[in-house]
Amino acid sequence: MVVDDHPMWRDAVGRDLESAGLELVATAADGPSAVARARATRPDVLVLDLNLPGLDGVGVTAAVTASLPDTRVLILSASGEQQHVLDAVKGGASGYLVKSASSDELLAAVRAVAAGETVFTPGLAGLVLGEYGRQDADGPRLTERETEILRLVAKGLGSKQIAERLVLSHRTVQNHTQNTLRKLQLHNRAQLVRYAMERGLAD
């Protein structure tokens, strides 16, 4: 599903997705319509602008992720402002691209988000991660390896990329990620990213 208040941009993104073989189930031009149509069509991925009339993209993200936990939200915004990225991720977004991204980058991001990965325009994740405070002293105890993998997840790397960087098997990385989710009582990688941002785990 594609949500943008500019008809030409909305149509262009929809065409790009359909031409790549993806099914476009709905579009919307404002926040309230976006929430209603998402609940009606239950898309796998919601490609969402931040600047919307009626309800902004962060509000739409929060409403959709609360009622449709299987729908992933990918923000596609003209803004690369640090606070906007942070607000979107805290609202539950699984990814954030700026509109200067190419069609190929957008398609790759949609597929990655649909597969449960997190995606950021290069450079944005590091900016956001630097904003947050220290890890809770009395929080759940993660092993050094779990913390290392959590930092890389927070930077938007997928399991295969993490496995290559740390010279581990793909299965090992997935096992560590699942262990971390269980310890932190979280449910998906987007929540892991949010946890890491809130605790400054990229210092």
Side-chain angles (χ1 to χ4, degrees), residues 47-60:
V47 180
L48 179 66
D49 189 19
L50 276 184
N51 189 19
L52 296 170
L55 181 67
D56 68 13
V58 173
V60 173

Side-chain angles (χ1 to χ4, degrees), residues 38-95:
R39 287 173 177 165
T41 58
R42 308 178 76 86
D44 294 320
V45 178
L46 178 60
V47 180
L48 179 66
D49 189 19
L50 276 184
N51 189 19
L52 296 170
L55 181 67
D56 68 13
V58 173
V60 173
T61 299
V64 169
T65 55
S67 58
L68 301 172
D70 292 334
T71 294
R72 308 295 186 199
V73 177
L74 173 63
I75 301 296
L76 183 62
S77 173
S79 171
E81 288 291 323
Q82 184 171 344
Q83 193 61 47
H84 291 162
V85 182
L86 182 57
D87 289 345
V89 173
K90 288 177 74 174
S94 297

